[in-house]
C-alpha cells in the first residue's frame, strides 16, 4: 500500500513535493515528532498535529498505524519486524509495545471559542448536546405539572405514567451531564451515558406496559386485571430483549460499520416484538370497547387508541426511513 503512496506522500528526501500524509513514530520523549517542521502549528502539549481541511463535504477519516519503515536510500518501504539490534544495524523479532494518545477533534482547538459545543464531536454526533438540552428543558417544564396532577388525582394510571416520565427525565439528566462533559474534554461520563440509555429503555417499556393495561380496561372500565402473567411476561420479555440489544450493539458492533441498532438481527427482533405487541394492543382495546357502554369512556378509549397506535408505529417507520439516510445524519434522526 505504501509503495503506491510514494508518488503522492511528502518526504524530505524521496518526495519533497508530495502531500503531508504521514507521521513517523515513535517521537522523541518530550519533543516534537521528526516530521513537525513548523512547531507553531503543533497544538500545545502535543508532539504532532495533523490538520485536515475539507469543509465542502463531511466524510469519515481513519488513522492507520502500520509497522513499516522507509529506506531513505532506496525510497522503498519495508516491514518493521521488531526491535532494532543493540548495534542498531538490523531488526530483530523481539516485539515492541507502542503507547500512544491521539486527540481527534472536529475543528481547531485553537479556535474552540467559536465551536466549543461542536469540535469534540464527530460530524454525525454534532448538535446532540443542543437536542438533549431542548428535551431536558421540555421535561423541566412538563414534569412538575405531571407531578402536581398525580398528587391531586391519585389515580393508578397517572402514577404509572408519572413513573415513566421520571425515569425518562433522569435518563435525560444523565445524558446531558455526559454530553456537556464530552463537549468540554472529549471523554464525558461513559457510565452515566450507559445508565441514561438503559433508563430510557426502562421508561419506554414502562410506558408500553401502561398502554397495554389501559387497552385491557384497567382502571378505566375495570379494576381487576385479567391475564396478569401474560401481560407482565410479554412486557418483561420486551424489556429484557431491548436491553440485550443495547448491550450487544455497544459491545459487538464495530464502530467502523456504518449500521445502527435497527439494521442488525436483534434490532429487527425488537421491532418485530413491538409490532406483535401493537397488534395485541389493538385486539385488547377492541375487546374492551365492545364491553363498554359508557359514551365518555368509549370516546376516551377511541382517542387513546389512535394516539397510542402512533406511538407504536413511529419507531418501525423511522427505522425503515433510516435505511435511506446517510450514516452521517442517521444518529440524530434516530435520537
Amino acid at each position: 500500500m505504501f509503495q503506491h503512496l510514494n508518488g503522492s506522500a511528502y518526504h524530505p528526501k524521496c518526495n519533497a513535493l508530495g502531500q503531508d500524509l504521514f507521521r513517523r513514530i515513535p517521537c522523541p520523549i518530550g519533543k516534537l515528532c521528526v516530521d513537525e517542521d513548523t512547531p507553531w502549528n503543533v497544538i500545545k502539549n502535543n508532539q504532532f498535529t495533523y490538520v485536515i481541511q475539507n469543509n465542502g463535504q463531511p466524510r469519515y477519516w481513519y488513522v492507520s498505524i502500520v509497522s513499516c519503515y522507509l529506506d531513505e536510500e532506496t525510497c522503498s518501504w519495508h516491514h518493521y519486524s521488531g526491535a532494532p539490534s543493540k548495534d542498531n544495524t538490523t531488526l530483530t523479532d523481539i516485539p515492541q509495545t507502542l503507547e500512544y494518545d491521539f486527540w481527534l477533534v472536529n475543528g481547531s482547538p485553537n479556535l474552540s471559542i467559536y465551536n466549543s459545543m461542536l469540535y469534540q464531536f464527530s460530524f454525525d454526533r454534532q448538535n446532540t448536546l443542543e437536542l438533549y438540552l431542548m428535551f431536558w428543558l421540555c421535561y423541566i417544564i412538563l414534569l412538575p405539572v405531571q407531578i402536581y396532577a398525580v398528587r391531586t388525582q391519585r389515580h393508578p394510571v397517572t402514577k404509572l405514567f408519572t413513573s415513566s416520565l421520571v425515569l425518562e427525565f433522569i435518563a435525560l439528566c444523565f445524558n446531558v451531564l455526559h454530553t456537556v462533559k464530552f463537549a468540554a474534554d472529549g471523554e464525558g461520563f461513559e457510565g452515566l451515558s450507559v445508565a441514561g440509555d438503559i433508563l430510557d429503555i426502562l421508561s419506554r417499556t414502562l410506558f408500553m406496559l401502561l398502554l397495554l393495561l389501559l387497552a385491557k380496561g384497567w382502571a378505566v372500565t375495570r379494576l381487576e386485571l385479567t391475564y396478569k402473567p401474560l401481560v407482565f411476561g410479554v412486557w418483561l420479555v420486551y424489556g429484557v430483549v431491548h436491553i440485550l440489544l443495547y448491550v450487544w450493539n455497544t459491545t459487538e458492533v464495530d464502530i467502523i460499520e456504518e449500521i445502527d441498532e435497527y439494521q442488525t438481527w436483534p434490532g429487527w427482533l425488537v421491532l418485530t416484538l413491538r409490532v406483535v405487541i401493537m397488534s395485541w394492543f389493538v385486539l385488547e382495546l377492541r375487546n374492551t370497547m365492545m364491553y363498554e357502554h359508557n359514551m365518555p369512556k368509549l370516546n376516551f378509549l377511541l382517542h387513546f387508541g389512535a394516539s397510542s397506535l402512533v406511538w407504536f408505529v413511529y419507531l418501525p417507520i423511522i427505522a425503515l426511513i433510516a435505511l435511506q439516510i446517510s450514516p452521517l445524519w442517521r444518529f440524530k434522526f434516530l435520537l
Side-chain angles (χ1 to χ4, degrees), residues 273-286:
L273 280 175
R274 189 182 180 97
V275 172
V276 170
I277 294 174
M278 179 187 68
S279 303
W280 184 33
F281 166 83
V282 172
L283 291 176
E284 290 291 346
L285 185 62
R286 177 177 175 272

PDB file of all heavy atoms in Angstrom, residues 273-286:
ATOM      1  N   LEU A 273     -41.131  -7.627  17.762  1.00  0.00           N
ATOM      2  CA  LEU A 273     -41.862  -7.737  19.028  1.00  0.00           C
ATOM      3  C   LEU A 273     -42.769  -6.530  19.239  1.00  0.00           C
ATOM      4  O   LEU A 273     -43.898  -6.665  19.724  1.00  0.00           O
ATOM      5  CB  LEU A 273     -40.875  -7.857  20.193  1.00  0.00           C
ATOM      6  CG  LEU A 273     -40.250  -9.226  20.443  1.00  0.00           C
ATOM      7  CD1 LEU A 273     -39.203  -9.134  21.539  1.00  0.00           C
ATOM      8  CD2 LEU A 273     -41.318 -10.235  20.830  1.00  0.00           C
ATOM      9  N   ARG A 274     -42.278  -5.372  18.865  1.00  0.00           N
ATOM     10  CA  ARG A 274     -43.082  -4.155  19.031  1.00  0.00           C
ATOM     11  C   ARG A 274     -44.348  -4.222  18.174  1.00  0.00           C
ATOM     12  O   ARG A 274     -45.431  -3.836  18.625  1.00  0.00           O
ATOM     13  CB  ARG A 274     -42.236  -2.934  18.658  1.00  0.00           C
ATOM     14  CG  ARG A 274     -42.886  -1.593  18.998  1.00  0.00           C
ATOM     15  CD  ARG A 274     -41.989  -0.456  18.540  1.00  0.00           C
ATOM     16  NE  ARG A 274     -42.545   0.842  18.834  1.00  0.00           N
ATOM     17  CZ  ARG A 274     -42.247   1.574  19.889  1.00  0.00           C
ATOM     18  NH1 ARG A 274     -41.386   1.113  20.781  1.00  0.00           N
ATOM     19  NH2 ARG A 274     -42.795   2.767  20.078  1.00  0.00           N
ATOM     20  N   VAL A 275     -44.207  -4.702  16.936  1.00  0.00           N
ATOM     21  CA  VAL A 275     -45.368  -4.821  16.052  1.00  0.00           C
ATOM     22  C   VAL A 275     -46.346  -5.870  16.584  1.00  0.00           C
ATOM     23  O   VAL A 275     -47.572  -5.678  16.542  1.00  0.00           O
ATOM     24  CB  VAL A 275     -44.916  -5.167  14.620  1.00  0.00           C
ATOM     25  CG1 VAL A 275     -46.119  -5.479  13.733  1.00  0.00           C
ATOM     26  CG2 VAL A 275     -44.110  -4.015  14.022  1.00  0.00           C
ATOM     27  N   VAL A 276     -45.813  -6.982  17.105  1.00  0.00           N
ATOM     28  CA  VAL A 276     -46.680  -8.023  17.683  1.00  0.00           C
ATOM     29  C   VAL A 276     -47.446  -7.471  18.884  1.00  0.00           C
ATOM     30  O   VAL A 276     -48.661  -7.684  19.025  1.00  0.00           O
ATOM     31  CB  VAL A 276     -45.840  -9.252  18.083  1.00  0.00           C
ATOM     32  CG1 VAL A 276     -46.678 -10.236  18.892  1.00  0.00           C
ATOM     33  CG2 VAL A 276     -45.280  -9.932  16.838  1.00  0.00           C
ATOM     34  N   ILE A 277     -46.736  -6.746  19.748  1.00  0.00           N
ATOM     35  CA  ILE A 277     -47.399  -6.158  20.918  1.00  0.00           C
ATOM     36  C   ILE A 277     -48.430  -5.123  20.482  1.00  0.00           C
ATOM     37  O   ILE A 277     -49.506  -5.002  21.086  1.00  0.00           O
ATOM     38  CB  ILE A 277     -46.347  -5.537  21.861  1.00  0.00           C
ATOM     39  CG1 ILE A 277     -45.467  -6.638  22.459  1.00  0.00           C
ATOM     40  CG2 ILE A 277     -47.013  -4.744  22.972  1.00  0.00           C
ATOM     41  CD1 ILE A 277     -44.307  -6.121  23.283  1.00  0.00           C
ATOM     42  N   MET A 278     -48.134  -4.386  19.426  1.00  0.00           N
ATOM     43  CA  MET A 278     -49.096  -3.414  18.911  1.00  0.00           C
ATOM     44  C   MET A 278     -50.370  -4.116  18.431  1.00  0.00           C
ATOM     45  O   MET A 278     -51.489  -3.649  18.702  1.00  0.00           O
ATOM     46  CB  MET A 278     -48.476  -2.617  17.765  1.00  0.00           C
ATOM     47  CG  MET A 278     -49.409  -1.592  17.142  1.00  0.00           C
ATOM     48  SD  MET A 278     -48.718  -0.809  15.672  1.00  0.00           S
ATOM     49  CE  MET A 278     -48.713  -2.205  14.538  1.00  0.00           C
ATOM     50  N   SER A 279     -50.210  -5.234  17.747  1.00  0.00           N
ATOM     51  CA  SER A 279     -51.382  -5.984  17.279  1.00  0.00           C
ATOM     52  C   SER A 279     -52.199  -6.496  18.463  1.00  0.00           C
ATOM     53  O   SER A 279     -53.443  -6.445  18.456  1.00  0.00           O
ATOM     54  CB  SER A 279     -50.937  -7.152  16.396  1.00  0.00           C
ATOM     55  OG  SER A 279     -50.166  -6.695  15.300  1.00  0.00           O
ATOM     56  N   TRP A 280     -51.500  -6.993  19.462  1.00  0.00           N
ATOM     57  CA  TRP A 280     -52.189  -7.447  20.669  1.00  0.00           C
ATOM     58  C   TRP A 280     -52.909  -6.284  21.352  1.00  0.00           C
ATOM     59  O   TRP A 280     -54.041  -6.427  21.839  1.00  0.00           O
ATOM     60  CB  TRP A 280     -51.172  -8.097  21.607  1.00  0.00           C
ATOM     61  CG  TRP A 280     -51.756  -8.686  22.850  1.00  0.00           C
ATOM     62  CD1 TRP A 280     -52.983  -9.274  22.986  1.00  0.00           C
ATOM     63  CD2 TRP A 280     -51.147  -8.746  24.138  1.00  0.00           C
ATOM     64  NE1 TRP A 280     -53.176  -9.701  24.277  1.00  0.00           N
ATOM     65  CE2 TRP A 280     -52.059  -9.395  25.007  1.00  0.00           C
ATOM     66  CE3 TRP A 280     -49.917  -8.342  24.639  1.00  0.00           C
ATOM     67  CZ2 TRP A 280     -51.772  -9.628  26.344  1.00  0.00           C
ATOM     68  CZ3 TRP A 280     -49.621  -8.577  25.968  1.00  0.00           C
ATOM     69  CH2 TRP A 280     -50.545  -9.210  26.807  1.00  0.00           C
ATOM     70  N   PHE A 281     -52.256  -5.132  21.383  1.00  0.00           N
ATOM     71  CA  PHE A 281     -52.856  -3.928  21.965  1.00  0.00           C
ATOM     72  C   PHE A 281     -54.170  -3.585  21.265  1.00  0.00           C
ATOM     73  O   PHE A 281     -55.180  -3.279  21.921  1.00  0.00           O
ATOM     74  CB  PHE A 281     -51.862  -2.771  21.851  1.00  0.00           C
ATOM     75  CG  PHE A 281     -52.454  -1.415  22.103  1.00  0.00           C
ATOM     76  CD1 PHE A 281     -52.605  -0.935  23.394  1.00  0.00           C
ATOM     77  CD2 PHE A 281     -52.860  -0.610  21.047  1.00  0.00           C
ATOM     78  CE1 PHE A 281     -53.153   0.315  23.628  1.00  0.00           C
ATOM     79  CE2 PHE A 281     -53.407   0.642  21.270  1.00  0.00           C
ATOM     80  CZ  PHE A 281     -53.555   1.104  22.564  1.00  0.00           C
ATOM     81  N   VAL A 282     -54.189  -3.653  19.939  1.00  0.00           N
ATOM     82  CA  VAL A 282     -55.400  -3.331  19.177  1.00  0.00           C
ATOM     83  C   VAL A 282     -56.518  -4.321  19.501  1.00  0.00           C
ATOM     84  O   VAL A 282     -57.683  -3.930  19.693  1.00  0.00           O
ATOM     85  CB  VAL A 282     -55.093  -3.317  17.666  1.00  0.00           C
ATOM     86  CG1 VAL A 282     -56.379  -3.179  16.856  1.00  0.00           C
ATOM     87  CG2 VAL A 282     -54.137  -2.182  17.327  1.00  0.00           C
ATOM     88  N   LEU A 283     -56.177  -5.605  19.580  1.00  0.00           N
ATOM     89  CA  LEU A 283     -57.194  -6.617  19.893  1.00  0.00           C
ATOM     90  C   LEU A 283     -57.763  -6.422  21.294  1.00  0.00           C
ATOM     91  O   LEU A 283     -58.988  -6.519  21.501  1.00  0.00           O
ATOM     92  CB  LEU A 283     -56.587  -8.017  19.759  1.00  0.00           C
ATOM     93  CG  LEU A 283     -56.228  -8.468  18.337  1.00  0.00           C
ATOM     94  CD1 LEU A 283     -55.537  -9.827  18.372  1.00  0.00           C
ATOM     95  CD2 LEU A 283     -57.479  -8.528  17.467  1.00  0.00           C
ATOM     96  N   GLU A 284     -56.895  -6.153  22.255  1.00  0.00           N
ATOM     97  CA  GLU A 284     -57.367  -5.944  23.627  1.00  0.00           C
ATOM     98  C   GLU A 284     -58.227  -4.689  23.721  1.00  0.00           C
ATOM     99  O   GLU A 284     -59.255  -4.676  24.417  1.00  0.00           O
ATOM    100  CB  GLU A 284     -56.173  -5.837  24.580  1.00  0.00           C
ATOM    101  CG  GLU A 284     -55.417  -7.132  24.795  1.00  0.00           C
ATOM    102  CD  GLU A 284     -56.238  -8.156  25.574  1.00  0.00           C
ATOM    103  OE1 GLU A 284     -57.269  -7.789  26.163  1.00  0.00           O
ATOM    104  OE2 GLU A 284     -55.841  -9.337  25.584  1.00  0.00           O
ATOM    105  N   LEU A 285     -57.822  -3.648  23.022  1.00  0.00           N
ATOM    106  CA  LEU A 285     -58.610  -2.413  23.052  1.00  0.00           C
ATOM    107  C   LEU A 285     -59.981  -2.628  22.406  1.00  0.00           C
ATOM    108  O   LEU A 285     -61.004  -2.111  22.890  1.00  0.00           O
ATOM    109  CB  LEU A 285     -57.847  -1.306  22.327  1.00  0.00           C
ATOM    110  CG  LEU A 285     -58.483   0.087  22.360  1.00  0.00           C
ATOM    111  CD1 LEU A 285     -58.586   0.596  23.796  1.00  0.00           C
ATOM    112  CD2 LEU A 285     -57.680   1.068  21.510  1.00  0.00           C
ATOM    113  N   ARG A 286     -60.004  -3.402  21.341  1.00  0.00           N
ATOM    114  CA  ARG A 286     -61.280  -3.707  20.674  1.00  0.00           C
ATOM    115  C   ARG A 286     -62.211  -4.477  21.611  1.00  0.00           C
ATOM    116  O   ARG A 286     -63.415  -4.169  21.715  1.00  0.00           O
ATOM    117  CB  ARG A 286     -61.008  -4.514  19.407  1.00  0.00           C
ATOM    118  CG  ARG A 286     -62.256  -4.954  18.654  1.00  0.00           C
ATOM    119  CD  ARG A 286     -61.858  -5.686  17.383  1.00  0.00           C
ATOM    120  NE  ARG A 286     -63.027  -6.216  16.696  1.00  0.00           N
ATOM    121  CZ  ARG A 286     -63.565  -7.407  16.939  1.00  0.00           C
ATOM    122  NH1 ARG A 286     -63.028  -8.195  17.878  1.00  0.00           N
ATOM    123  NH2 ARG A 286     -64.634  -7.814  16.273  1.00  0.00           N
TER     124      ARG A 286
END
